[in-house]
Amino acid sequence: MLVTGATGKTGTNTTRTLLDQGHHVRALVHRADDRANRLARAGAEVVVADLLDLDAVSRAANGIDAAYLTYPIAPGLLEATATLLQAAEENGVGAIVGMSQISARRDAASNAARQHWLAERLLDHFTGAVIHIRPTFFAEWLINFWDPTTGELRLPFADARHAPIAAEDQGRVIAAVLAAPEPHAGKTYRLHGPVELDHHQITDAMSRTLGRKITYVPIELDEFRSALEQRGLEPHFVQHLISVAVDYRNGIFAGTNDNVRALTGVEPLTVEAFIERNKQYFDGRESSGNR
C-alpha cells in the first residue's frame, strides 16, 4: 500500500492500521522528521518525496497494489491528483482512495472545496478502482481551536450541528478500503461521528470529560477571519475556512450515518471518548502543534 501524507492526521492512522494488520506500507512523506522516523520504527517503508514531482511519485508507486491520496488545504491539489493518477497508471496500481471533504461540490464558494470536487472527477478517469472519502469536520478541530487560557471555543458556527469524526476512525475506514477495494469501487463514503451536536453540546461534553468549564462562544465571520490571519494562516486556507463556516451554518456538514461501523466493525469515537483519548493536548502535557 502507498500512503501519501503519511505523517498527517489520516495518513498516520491509516499507516499504523495497515501495519497492525500485517500489510507492507510505503509511507510517502514531505520531509524526514520525528513523525516519519516513528513510522519507520513501526515498520513502514518511508519515502521522502514531493507529491508534485512526477518522477519521484512514479518511483514510489512502483509495485504498489493500492494508494491513498491526501493533500493539505493548500494550492496544488489538482496537480498532485494528476501526478498520482499518472504514476498509478504507469505502474499498474489497482485502486486509489482519495480524501475529499463533505463540502466538495461544483459550485462551492471555497476554492479548496471546489478543487476537491474537481480532483474527484479527475480520479474518476482512473482505470482501476476509485473510492472517495468525504468526512465532516474532524474532531481534531477541538484541539486546534479551543483557547486553554480562557476555556473558550470561539467559532462562527451559530447553532448549526455536525457529528465530529476522529482521524483514527477515518484511518480505519481508509485502511479497510485499501485492503479490499473492489467491493467499494466507484463509491463515495461520507464519514460522520456517532452523535450530531451543536457546539454548545460539544463544549458541554468537553467540560464533563476534562472536569473544567469549556464554553462555546459564537462569533461573526469577520472576527474569525481576523483570528485566522493573526495565526499566520495562508490566504488559501483562510478563504476555505471562512467559506465552509457559511456551509456549516447552512447544514452542509450535518448528519450521521453508520459508515464507520459498517466498514470497520468498530463504532466511531464520541466527543467524550475523543477528548479522553487526547487529554494530553488539553492539560498542557503536549503541544498540539500544527495538527
Side-chain angles (χ1 to χ4, degrees):
M1 311 295 176
L2 174 65
V3 176
T4 71
T7 55
K9 290 187 279 291
T10 60
T12 295
N13 284 284
T14 299
T15 298
R16 291 189 175 277
T17 300
L18 288 168
L19 290 171
D20 288 345
Q21 294 171 351
H23 296 285
H24 179 89
V25 181
R26 187 171 294 155
L28 189 118
V29 303
H30 194 66
R31 65 181 61 86
D33 57 17
D34 289 342
R35 298 172 302 169
N37 291 336
R38 286 195 291 271
L39 292 180
R41 289 194 296 270
E45 176 193 350
V46 174
V47 175
V48 179
D50 188 328
L51 257 179
L52 305 183
D53 183 338
L54 176 57
D55 289 339
V57 176
S58 188
R59 287 192 296 271
N62 182 257
I64 291 297
D65 294 318
Y68 170 53
L69 172 63
T70 184
Y71 195 80
I73 302 299
L77 170 64
L78 294 177
E79 185 178 351
T81 301
T83 298
L84 183 69
L85 180 59
Q86 179 63 27
E89 294 281 11
E90 290 175 355
N91 288 279
V93 175
I96 298 175
V97 179
M99 172 56 69
S100 186
Q101 54 184 263
I102 207 166
S103 57
R105 58 200 191 280
R106 183 187 182 111
D107 60 350
S110 159
N111 294 330
R114 192 170 60 255
Q115 288 164 11
H116 271 287
W117 184 84
L118 285 168
E120 290 181 4
R121 305 292 73 77
L122 278 175
L123 290 178
D124 287 341
H125 292 282
F126 182 50
T127 55
V130 174
I131 302 94
H132 303 299
I133 305 295
R134 286 188 173 187
T136 189
F137 276 146
F138 287 28
E140 280 75 7
W141 267 63
L142 304 178
I143 297 172
N144 290 337
F145 283 97
W146 87 299
D147 186 335
T149 60
T150 64
E152 291 180 342
L153 192 64
R154 303 178 68 87
L155 291 167
F157 294 152
D159 293 325
R161 304 163 66 86
H162 80 297
I165 177 73
E168 71 174 85
D169 290 317
Q170 296 180 63
R172 279 194 292 270
V173 168
I174 295 158
V177 175
L178 283 171
E182 286 305 323
H184 310 286
K187 294 185 178 179
T188 298
Y189 289 115
R190 293 167 60 100
L191 299 184
H192 300 267
V195 183
E196 186 182 78
L197 305 164
D198 64 33
H199 276 74
H200 296 289
Q201 295 168 318
I202 288 172
T203 51
D204 285 346
M206 295 173 69
S207 299
R208 290 192 297 271
T209 308
L210 294 172
R212 61 169 292 190
K213 181 63 175 176
I214 310 298
T215 305
Y216 168 50
V217 180
I219 61 175
E220 294 303 318
L221 294 174
D222 287 345
E223 180 180 341
F224 188 49
R225 183 191 300 276
S226 295
L228 297 174
E229 291 172 346
Q230 288 171 13
R231 292 174 70 165
L233 299 180
E234 294 296 325
H236 182 82
F237 194 22
V238 173
Q239 194 273 343
H240 169 68
L241 293 182
I242 295 297
S243 299
V244 297
V246 176
D247 283 346
Y248 187 97
R249 292 178 178 182
N250 291 332
I252 298 295
F253 289 76
T256 58
N257 58 37
D258 66 348
N259 281 339
V260 174
R261 180 192 57 76
L263 292 166
T264 69
V266 178
E267 292 289 344
L269 295 176
T270 62
V271 169
E272 291 88 345
F274 173 81
I275 298 297
E276 183 66 38
R277 196 163 298 194
N278 291 277
K279 269 189 173 179
Q280 69 271 23
Y281 298 111
F282 295 93
D283 62 14
R285 282 179 288 150
E286 190 170 340
S287 171
S288 64
N290 185 22
R291 288 176 62 83

